[in-house]
Amino acid sequence: MDAYDEEPEALNGPDGPAGARRAGGPGTPGEDTRPEGTGPTVTGTEDTRGDGARDPAGPAGLAALSPRYRLVAGGALAVVATVAAVHLGMVFLSLAPANTVSKRHAKAVEGWVYPEFEQNWKLFAPNPLQQNIAVQVRAQIRGEGGDLRTTGWTDLSAEDGAAIDGNLLPSHTQQNELRRAWDFLGTTHGTDNRPVGVRGALSEQYVRRIVVLRLRRDEGLDRAGTIERVQVRSRTVNVSPPGWSREKVSTSPAYRVLPWWTVTGDETEEGAR
């Protein structure tokens, strides 16, 4: 006798006539066994968590911030970008050859660049410096007896070079003070060594104060008498070309000798310190 005949449920089940199995019962393949109203059927192509909810990716970057913070962050980025663009433009104008824009805004460019962002190289320079330039000085000293004597030439550039060699932390003064002062004088004087304009006279005073200070501090010439006058010259020697080059240059030194300068009282005393 069939097992369905032994159970009362098999004669008259809740879902059909005798002998019919209930939908969703065990052993019925391919049928949806979930109760009605529990949700849609889940296929194998959908990625779900244990609770059946999706996990979408949240916003990243500035989009994750609130509108107020997004506004602040955007404003800060705009300020930084503007300052960087202005800085690059100012440095470019200070290095580029003279043009209409750099001449018109020369004061603004110099005020922005000097002295913190000063550059010692020139943009689009056709011929980089290929010379060794040494600045030398001699002095006329009046002794206690009134006699006047002239010292030999003192190579101030060689003294700076000796102080820099082997020094892991050379000072800015040793590296640049004398060199930049001589460059300043060269650009404000004509070929006859006469100053051009107010800046020329200022460059003379600047170089004179530097050399007098060096003579008093490093050479101790003030102990031998009073420094009356000083004379400055430059010694320029071309850098020898490499061995594989066919270029021929003269390595004989060339001198540029400036006239004697009278030393003022404030430069021989506290003014030169």
Side-chain angles (χ1 to χ4, degrees), residues 196-236:
V196 178
V198 178
R199 288 172 59 85
L202 179 63
S203 66
E204 283 188 5
Q205 184 181 17
Y206 184 44
V207 172
R208 187 170 64 247
R209 284 179 175 270
I210 291 176
V211 298
V212 171
L213 173 64
R214 296 282 294 270
L215 291 175
R216 297 180 71 251
R217 183 191 63 193
D218 302 335
E219 308 301 325
L221 294 185
D222 58 333
R223 292 191 294 269
T226 303
I227 301 176
E228 295 277 339
R229 299 196 302 170
V230 294
Q231 188 177 31
V232 183
R233 74 177 184 181
S234 66
R235 181 179 184 272
T236 303

Side-chain angles (χ1 to χ4, degrees), residues 87-99 102 109 113-114 117-126:
H87 176 71
L88 292 177
M90 291 294 189
V91 174
F92 176 84
L93 291 176
S94 69
L95 298 177
N99 54 75
S102 62
V109 172
V113 173
Y114 297 101
F117 307 113
E118 179 182 5
Q119 304 292 327
N120 294 329
W121 55 279
K122 293 297 182 181
L123 200 61
F124 313 119

Side-chain angles (χ1 to χ4, degrees), residues 145-161:
D147 57 314
L148 189 67
R149 69 180 183 90
T150 302
T151 67
W153 291 100
T154 300
D155 196 331
L156 301 181
S157 297
E159 294 179 353
D160 288 342

